Amino acid sequence: DIVMTQSPDSLAVSLGERATINCKPSQSVLYSSNNKNYLAWYQQKPGQPPKLLIYWASTRESGVPDRFSGSGSGTDFTLTISSLQAEDVAVYYCQQYYTTPLTFGGGTKVEIK
Amino acid sequence: EVQLLESGGGLVQPGGSLRLSCAASGFTFSSYAMSWVRQAPGKGLEWVSAISGSGGSTYYAASLKGRFTISRDNSKNTLYLQMNSLRAEDTAVYYCAKDPGDGYNSPLNFDYWGQGTLVTVSS
């Protein structure tokens, strides 16, 4: 199984500041035949189901604010919130879909400082 | 508008069985793979199982060891999860999630989620 390691477990960021979350798969999720990284990011607010933010590591889902961006390749990925808003308080998860079983990172809780 | 509505959760004794359902609407159900993802209380997300749009391919988390069976009825736009030999560690909210692809080769990610149904395994 591909183990997804997220860091940090939690972070507190001031409103308007940048938040950065890291995700490291235990093996590469870059598929060489199409040069795509099989990695997604989700946001989960309390009492709600997760919401897809980013897929193919850097493609923003329709309707997701452009302050959210994904980057990285292979075994090193980052989700960046460029200017944290109050509504961004949530837990964020990365997920690989390079192979089954599909696996998620442990989550990163983002709070307001 | 895509809607996914889970049902069938509840309290069940260890060793018991339960069947979850997910009624889908707002998209061509048979064209997309579907998955079940669970979340134990206060914990992270765990993928459980997926099924291709046609129902011809199924995928499972190895930890389930054959206790769970995923299926779908495309004529009823409904996804199912049959859960047998339930254990305390199966206690979780079970989400139904839509895949953006047909799942013929492999499931991908999850672009729509239901609100979830709580399964509690306890005596």
Side-chain angles (χ1 to χ4, degrees):
Chain A
D1 298 5
I2 298 179
V3 176
M4 307 295 285
T5 302
Q6 276 185 243
S7 63
D9 293 335
S10 65
L11 75 161
V13 176
S14 299
L15 288 173
E17 296 300 306
R18 179 186 300 261
T20 301
I21 300 168
N22 301 300
C23 177
K24 294 185 183 298
S26 59
Q27 66 184 74
S28 176
V29 297
L30 174 62
Y31 194 37
S32 57
S33 65
N34 60 11
N35 202 37
K36 287 187 172 183
N37 286 285
Y38 283 56
L39 185 119
W41 289 97
Y42 300 86
Q43 173 194 65
Q44 186 177 31
K45 297 181 179 180
Q48 296 185 18
K51 173 188 175 183
L52 178 64
L53 296 176
I54 303 282
Y55 56 97
W56 300 129
S58 61
T59 302
R60 206 178 297 116
E61 175 73 336
S62 175
V64 173
D66 60 8
R67 64 179 180 274
F68 291 92
S69 64
S71 62
S73 184
T75 60
D76 201 347
F77 297 89
T78 300
L79 175 70
T80 300
I81 309 172
S82 61
S83 176
L84 191 74
Q85 304 300 303
E87 60 265 32
D88 301 335
V89 169
V91 179
Y92 293 84
Y93 295 92
C94 59
Q95 176 237 331
Q96 67 80 19
Y97 46 102
Y98 181 85
T99 187
T100 55
L102 308 182
T103 47
F104 291 88
T108 296
K109 187 175 185 178
V110 174
E111 299 173 308
I112 304 296
K113 185 186 291 183
Chain B
E1 179 191 5
V2 172
Q3 290 193 334
L4 301 170
L5 183 61
E6 301 96 338
S7 61
L11 176 63
V12 60
Q13 291 189 338
S17 298
L18 214 53
R19 188 176 84 153
L20 306 183
S21 300
C22 171
S25 61
F27 64 101
T28 305
F29 183 66
S30 60
S31 294
Y32 296 93
M34 299 292 295
S35 277
W36 289 98
V37 178
R38 68 184 182 182
Q39 186 168 36
K43 302 297 185 183
L45 301 169
E46 180 187 17
W47 173 76
V48 171
S49 182
I51 186 168
S52 63
S54 67
S57 299
T58 56
Y59 312 85
Y60 294 94
S63 60
L64 299 179
K65 295 182 180 177
R67 297 185 296 121
F68 289 12
T69 302
I70 193 171
S71 62
R72 64 193 296 160
D73 186 336
N74 286 345
S75 68
K76 296 182 178 179
N77 288 355
T78 303
L79 174 72
Y80 303 100
L81 185 68
Q82 177 67 44
M83 304 186 295
N84 298 328
S85 304
L86 284 162
R87 307 166 180 168
E89 53 266 35
D90 296 318
T91 294
V93 172
Y94 284 72
Y95 294 104
C96 160
K98 174 187 169 292
D99 193 301
D102 62 12
Y104 179 76
N105 291 313
S106 182
L108 299 175
N109 50 66
F110 315 109
D111 55 359
Y112 290 93
W113 298 66
Q115 289 298 312
T117 186
L118 176 62
V119 172
T120 303
V121 184
S122 175
S123 55

